Amino acid sequence: MAKFEDTKDYTFSGFCRLHDEFIIPRFQRPYDWKNKQLLDFLDSVLEAEEKNYFIGNIVSIKTQGSESSISIVDGQQRLTTIFLILIALRKILASLNDDKKNKEKINELERKISYILDYKNLDTDEFMSKLRLHRDNCQKVFDAIKNGEDIDIKNLATDTERKYLKNYEILKKEIENKISRNSSDDILKNIAIFYEKTQSLQFVSIQCASDNDVNQIFEGFNSTGLGLSVADLVKNAVIQAAKADSDIQGKAESLWDYIESMFDKKTMARFPKFIRYQWMSRHGYISNSNLFKQIKSQKIEDEYKEDVLGYVQELVKDAEVYMGHIYAEYEKNLKLPKTLYEEIRKFRFLQTEQVYSVLMAYYRCFQEKKIKEGQYLGMLRKLWIFAFRTRFVSISPSDYERVFASHCDELANKCEDSSEVSKYSDIFFSKLSRQVSNSQEFISNFELEVNWKTDSQLIKTVLLELMSQEKAEVILKNPENEHILPRAPEKWGYEKDQVQEFVHKIGNMTLLFEADNKSASDEVFEVKEKIYKKSIFKQNKEISTKWGKYFKGDLSSINKGIELRGKELSKKIEQLLKFN
């Protein structure tokens, strides 16, 4: 049972007077509040009519070797947001510096806010940020925001760094909108009111007696539905399990930081998903609710510290593979033949997250030489066809997730050579094909739903597949998407808003090589028609011979042609991309 050293209610100002530093420890998740959470919190604070507005619990533990520092176990999202609100208030105050009449009041309020944001280190005689982040890069960005430095978001490398800046800018803009613009007196008065409201925010402080209680508290939050992800829980459990050996703990922390940095450069939201897909790729199906319990019992609890480190090393290897499948900049992690990269990239244009468990399992089979390149390529092809078709037929991820997981378990634990992999894969794809076999539903949904604005790469991929049936070398020449009716249709005598409902549909799309695409551009149909007629592809020639009569008509005729051509293309694509 967890023990507490102190449980007491505080105001934010009282809590700040009691402690010099609020340290965000290594096991904490990154700062990740979304717009709605941010604005809901701000509105709750600013619109509260009574003082001492209650914002929940802050759970902490005293930092070893320091009486004035505490580590925040739960509450960093709220504390960080309060600090960003104060920084925004101080920035707005700085814009009033020309107000000589209120100069003294402005300076006094700036001093009060600065006293909350920073403390004086008596050993160095320097002012330090009261909020201390465990990552140096995040601390650097936070301090730059606090100090009023100009920051270009394009120069920020990670999702978390950008989150600090974006949230600060959102808060500052929202506060400015709520402040009267009638006079500097009104602005100053409202800033003072907002400041007092932040200082009177009330919460219950729960301080753990020792770090042995942190794990219980941390896991307890998960069981009570307070939103900790499995990545947070596994990270904390790993660090706790390895703490008896400082060398192993240091290695585990360093490796975990490396994994986090990969996801943070893209999106941390994928990290918990990866933890689950990684487990399924090796061990079969597991529900979200049971995942941490299973990882803890099989990989962490009662294991040698070296085994815990081995699990983290396994995660690192699989995280590199996972990210290599999803993002081009991480492809180098895979070290695959060129033809395999081309097939893997197609999965990025879909929205089937669950497929990555099987992709990791097949990749492992190839690396372990259980399958050869041609066999691997064929499996990727069939898996992509299934993932592609799931987008356009009525099927829930839960309908195939267990099938995926069961096949991963077979690949990991029952297959020793290519013949066994082939046997289980044939059964696997037979099951999948039955789930997406509704041709009419596919054709109807594909024609209606595919849109260039959101699916440009997917459109290019399927049109390449279609055209390469005529000329295989088309893929090597990499043609570009072409709108028959242009997105800017002024030369056709129309405005953009007149065509926006159908200009991006599949029936209005084709592929042209770069030079032809530039020549066609926004030209009238008569100019484009000459280019289509000279094309080496039947699909393009037919735009003139079969569909030209529609594109030469009025808007109603063009729309009708796009619809009919879209249905025909959809039928051809359905026939092309189905299980044989």
Side-chain angles (χ1 to χ4, degrees):
M1 182 176 179
K3 297 179 181 179
F4 305 114
E5 190 170 275
D6 181 45
T7 303
K8 187 178 178 180
D9 61 294
Y10 287 95
T11 62
F12 178 71
S13 62
F15 203 55
C16 287
R17 286 195 297 271
L18 191 63
H19 304 292
D20 284 342
E21 284 186 319
F22 303 130
I23 298 172
I24 309 302
R26 300 184 73 88
F27 59 75
Q28 273 282 22
R29 70 173 70 182
Y31 179 58
D32 65 352
W33 262 13
K34 308 295 188 293
N35 284 20
K36 186 177 188 306
Q37 294 165 298
L38 198 71
L39 297 178
D40 284 350
F41 182 79
L42 180 65
D43 288 343
S44 297
V45 172
L46 300 186
E47 295 175 10
E49 295 182 2
E50 74 282 0
K51 278 195 170 185
N52 300 332
Y53 180 75
F54 183 68
I55 61 169
N57 301 324
I58 301 290
V59 183
S60 64
I61 184 171
K62 275 194 174 180
T63 306
Q64 289 184 353
S66 174
E67 289 297 316
S68 60
S69 297
I70 58 170
S71 294
I72 304 300
V73 177
D74 181 60
Q76 73 135 326
Q77 307 290 330
R78 283 163 288 158
L79 281 178
T80 302
T81 301
I82 294 170
F83 274 90
L84 291 175
I85 289 172
L86 290 170
I87 294 169
L89 289 175
R90 190 171 65 173
K91 182 70 173 179
I92 298 169
L93 269 175
S95 68
L96 304 178
N97 280 337
D98 292 336
D99 183 358
K100 296 180 180 178
K101 181 181 70 172
N102 292 309
K103 189 69 173 176
E104 188 174 333
K105 290 180 180 179
I106 293 169
N107 290 342
E108 175 64 13
L109 195 48
E110 283 184 327
R111 186 190 65 77
K112 286 181 178 180
I113 294 175
S114 296
Y115 179 77
I116 295 293
L117 295 174
D118 296 304
Y119 77 99
K120 191 173 185 178
N121 187 317
L122 298 179
D123 294 330
T124 63
D125 212 32
E126 293 179 322
F127 283 95
M128 307 285 290
S129 177
K130 189 179 283 285
L131 186 66
R132 304 299 298 171
L133 310 175
H134 80 270
R135 286 190 180 181
D136 290 341
N137 63 318
C138 292
Q139 188 70 53
K140 184 178 179 181
V141 172
F142 179 81
D143 286 345
I145 295 169
K146 179 170 62 68
N147 297 332
E149 299 174 18
D150 290 331
I151 308 171
D152 187 345
I153 198 167
K154 295 177 183 176
N155 295 330
L156 300 182
T158 71
D159 194 39
T160 304
E161 290 173 39
R162 293 187 287 270
K163 180 64 69 174
Y164 286 111
L165 182 59
K166 285 180 180 177
N167 282 8
Y168 163 72
E169 291 174 341
I170 290 168
L171 288 167
K172 181 173 176 289
K173 181 179 180 181
E174 192 68 16
I175 292 170
E176 287 174 333
N177 290 338
K178 292 178 181 293
I179 291 176
S180 171
R181 296 295 183 183
N182 293 336
S183 69
S184 60
D185 287 351
D186 291 333
I187 296 172
L188 182 59
K189 178 182 176 182
N190 283 329
I191 291 175
I193 292 171
F194 289 175
Y195 168 76
E196 291 299 331
K197 285 188 173 185
T198 64
Q199 300 312 292
S200 65
L201 291 172
Q202 190 175 37
F203 51 85
V204 174
S205 169
I206 302 172
Q207 193 171 99
C208 299
S210 70
D211 61 0
N212 292 327
D213 301 301
V214 171
N215 196 36
Q216 293 181 50
I217 295 292
F218 210 59
E219 293 178 31
F221 290 146
N222 193 56
S223 65
T224 53
L226 293 182
L228 298 176
S229 77
V230 69
D232 302 323
L233 294 166
V234 173
K235 177 181 180 179
N236 182 54
V238 163
I239 291 172
Q240 291 294 317
K243 69 180 181 180
D245 187 314
S246 59
D247 182 52
I248 289 178
Q249 185 183 34
K251 290 178 180 177
E253 290 180 351
S254 177
L255 290 171
W256 197 278
D257 284 348
Y258 170 66
I259 300 173
E260 278 191 347
S261 69
M262 279 195 289
F263 285 94
D264 203 7
K265 286 177 182 176
K266 290 299 179 181
T267 170
M268 287 299 291
R270 281 194 184 272
F271 194 9
K273 294 178 182 178
F274 157 72
I275 295 287
R276 182 165 179 251
Y277 298 147
Q278 187 270 347
W279 181 271
M280 289 200 294
S281 77
R282 290 178 177 271
H283 307 286
Y285 182 79
I286 188 74
S287 65
N288 270 315
S289 58
N290 288 325
L291 179 56
F292 173 64
K293 181 180 179 181
Q294 198 76 357
I295 291 174
K296 186 179 178 185
S297 66
Q298 292 194 30
K299 297 291 185 179
I300 300 172
E301 206 168 50
D302 299 325
E303 298 294 320
Y304 291 111
K305 294 179 288 296
E306 291 80 1
D307 293 334
V308 175
L309 180 60
Y311 170 61
V312 180
Q313 290 168 334
E314 178 185 281
L315 282 179
V316 168
K317 187 184 300 183
D318 287 343
E320 290 178 336
V321 171
Y322 177 78
M323 297 295 277
H325 279 80
I326 297 174
Y327 298 111
E329 52 265 60
Y330 288 101
E331 279 185 355
K332 63 181 182 296
N333 296 334
L334 301 180
K335 299 180 176 63
L336 291 172
K338 183 179 179 181
T339 54
L340 294 172
Y341 282 119
E342 291 172 357
E343 203 65 39
I344 283 169
R345 286 169 190 150
K346 295 178 183 178
F347 289 92
R348 297 172 192 164
F349 313 140
L350 303 174
Q351 299 154 5
T352 313
E353 287 278 347
Q354 293 79 2
V355 77
Y356 289 103
S357 61
V358 186
L359 285 173
M360 283 191 281
Y362 277 143
Y363 174 85
R364 206 174 293 122
C365 284
F366 182 68
Q367 293 300 317
E368 293 171 358
K369 302 188 185 309
K370 291 181 181 179
I371 53 176
K372 294 182 179 180
E373 181 179 338
Q375 192 178 4
Y376 186 16
L377 188 63
M379 292 170 179
L380 290 175
R381 171 70 177 174
K382 288 181 180 179
L383 189 61
W384 187 80
I385 289 174
F386 172 78
F388 172 69
R389 292 181 73 94
T390 61
R391 165 109 181 254
F392 305 104
V393 298
S394 300
I395 183 172
S396 166
S398 61
D399 293 336
Y400 54 80
E401 190 173 67
R402 286 182 181 271
V403 180
F404 280 6
S406 177
H407 187 47
C408 289
D409 182 44
E410 292 166 347
L411 294 170
N413 301 305
K414 297 181 181 179
C415 297
E416 296 294 332
D417 56 37
S418 63
S419 63
E420 290 178 333
V421 174
S422 290
K423 180 182 74 173
Y424 283 107
S425 292
D426 287 345
I427 298 170
F428 170 63
F429 286 116
S430 177
K431 291 177 182 177
L432 295 185
S433 67
R434 291 193 292 270
Q435 293 184 320
V436 292
S437 60
N438 191 326
S439 298
Q440 289 306 312
E441 183 183 21
F442 176 94
I443 292 166
S444 176
N445 288 338
F446 185 84
E447 191 271 324
L448 289 172
E449 295 176 13
V450 169
N451 187 291
W452 178 84
K453 291 180 74 174
T454 54
D455 299 312
S456 62
Q457 288 295 332
L458 184 63
I459 288 172
K460 181 177 179 179
T461 298
V462 295
L463 289 182
L464 271 173
E465 294 257 356
L466 202 58
M467 289 183 166
S468 64
Q469 284 189 306
E470 300 178 50
K471 303 283 183 180
E473 65 271 19
V474 66
I475 293 177
L476 300 176
K477 295 182 180 180
N478 196 27
E480 300 172 347
N481 279 327
E482 148 80 354
H483 289 73
I484 302 170
L485 170 68
R487 288 172 287 162
E490 287 79 6
K491 289 185 179 180
W492 290 47
Y494 306 117
E495 299 296 326
K496 287 183 178 180
D497 59 356
Q498 291 179 279
V499 304
Q500 61 182 353
E501 290 185 12
F502 50 86
V503 72
H504 297 305
K505 297 183 76 172
I506 185 67
N508 191 47
M509 301 301 304
T510 191
L511 297 180
L512 290 176
F513 296 121
E514 184 179 6
D516 287 339
N517 198 29
K518 286 182 179 178
S519 298
S521 187
D522 297 332
E523 291 294 340
V524 295
F525 184 76
E526 285 73 17
V527 173
K528 288 174 173 273
E529 186 177 25
K530 295 176 182 178
I531 295 170
Y532 301 145
K533 284 180 178 179
K534 292 190 297 182
S535 174
I536 60 174
F537 299 107
K538 179 183 176 183
Q539 296 291 338
N540 285 342
K541 292 181 185 297
E542 285 185 347
I543 297 173
S544 170
T545 59
K546 188 171 185 177
W547 307 108
K549 59 184 177 181
Y550 294 101
F551 286 99
K552 292 174 182 176
D554 59 14
L555 268 186
S556 176
S557 173
I558 294 170
N559 189 11
K560 182 68 173 177
I562 289 172
E563 180 184 346
L564 292 174
R565 183 171 179 268
K567 289 183 185 301
E568 181 177 284
L569 284 175
S570 299
K571 289 177 183 178
K572 290 180 178 179
I573 289 166
E574 194 277 332
Q575 285 297 306
L576 176 67
L577 299 176
K578 67 190 309 180
F579 290 94
N580 297 322

